[in-house]
Amino acid sequence: LMYQVTTTHYLPYEGLAPADGGPIDIDVHYDRTQLAVDDTVTVTVTITNRDANLTSMVLVDLGRPPAFLLHSEDLAAAREAGTIAEYESTDRQILLYLDPLPVDTPVVVTYRLTAEYPIRATVPSSSVAPYYEAEERNETEEFSIEVE
């Protein structure tokens, strides 16, 4: 006699987030979460390295809300200034590469997003980790944004 038993269950996201993440802190701040179509929101990302042994390549994965246009000139300016080494952008995320990452000196990157359509959406979580050590990842929580 053969049989199979399966089950599923739901865990709230807050219960899964680690209390103390990896060696790098990340803070993502939107200057507002209630907008109208064609309004621009400024996003400030602060990354702080707490580990003196970690100074080379760091990958920052920023969640990007749907129906928002990225002003890529802001990230290009950060690259030219040497704040970031490189960046990539897709419809769902923005990847920042930091090399080197100084210890205990916050790196601040600011960019703008413009709302294209009315929408109620969840901004995906953002994360930071040493490039070759993904298990040391630190992650932000998701939050809601509304465009009327």
Side-chain angles (χ1 to χ4, degrees):
L1 178 67
M2 296 186 67
Y3 63 92
Q4 178 180 356
V5 177
T6 61
T7 185
T8 60
H9 64 281
Y10 170 78
L11 291 176
Y13 181 79
E14 295 83 24
L16 296 176
D20 183 28
I24 308 167
D25 289 330
I26 181 171
D27 179 53
V28 178
H29 176 73
Y30 281 55
D31 67 349
R32 57 194 171 143
T33 56
Q34 300 286 323
L35 302 106
V37 173
D38 294 328
D39 280 356
T40 299
V41 61
T42 301
V43 183
T44 304
V45 181
T46 306
I47 300 111
T48 308
N49 180 6
R50 297 180 286 137
D51 185 353
N53 296 322
L54 172 72
T55 56
S56 63
M57 186 65 78
V58 170
L59 178 64
V60 181
D61 184 350
L62 302 171
R64 183 172 165 185
F68 277 79
L69 174 70
L70 171 66
H71 293 262
S72 59
E73 62 271 13
D74 298 337
L75 296 175
R79 181 181 57 205
E80 292 300 318
T83 306
I84 62 175
E86 194 56 64
Y87 72 92
E88 296 177 39
S89 174
T90 68
D91 290 339
R92 298 181 50 89
Q93 70 185 143
I94 300 167
L95 296 173
L96 304 179
Y97 300 90
L98 305 175
D99 190 27
L101 183 60
V103 179
D104 293 327
T105 304
V107 172
V108 179
V109 178
T110 302
Y111 61 93
R112 294 170 293 147
L113 299 169
T114 298
E116 295 184 297
Y117 307 106
I119 190 171
R120 242 182 233 145
T122 299
V123 177
S125 65
S126 297
S127 65
V128 62
Y131 193 77
Y132 295 107
E133 300 173 32
E135 67 277 358
E136 297 292 330
R137 182 174 75 177
N138 198 354
E139 191 171 351
T140 66
E141 292 191 23
E142 301 174 333
F143 61 92
S144 297
I145 193 164
E146 183 175 352
V147 179
E148 296 180 350

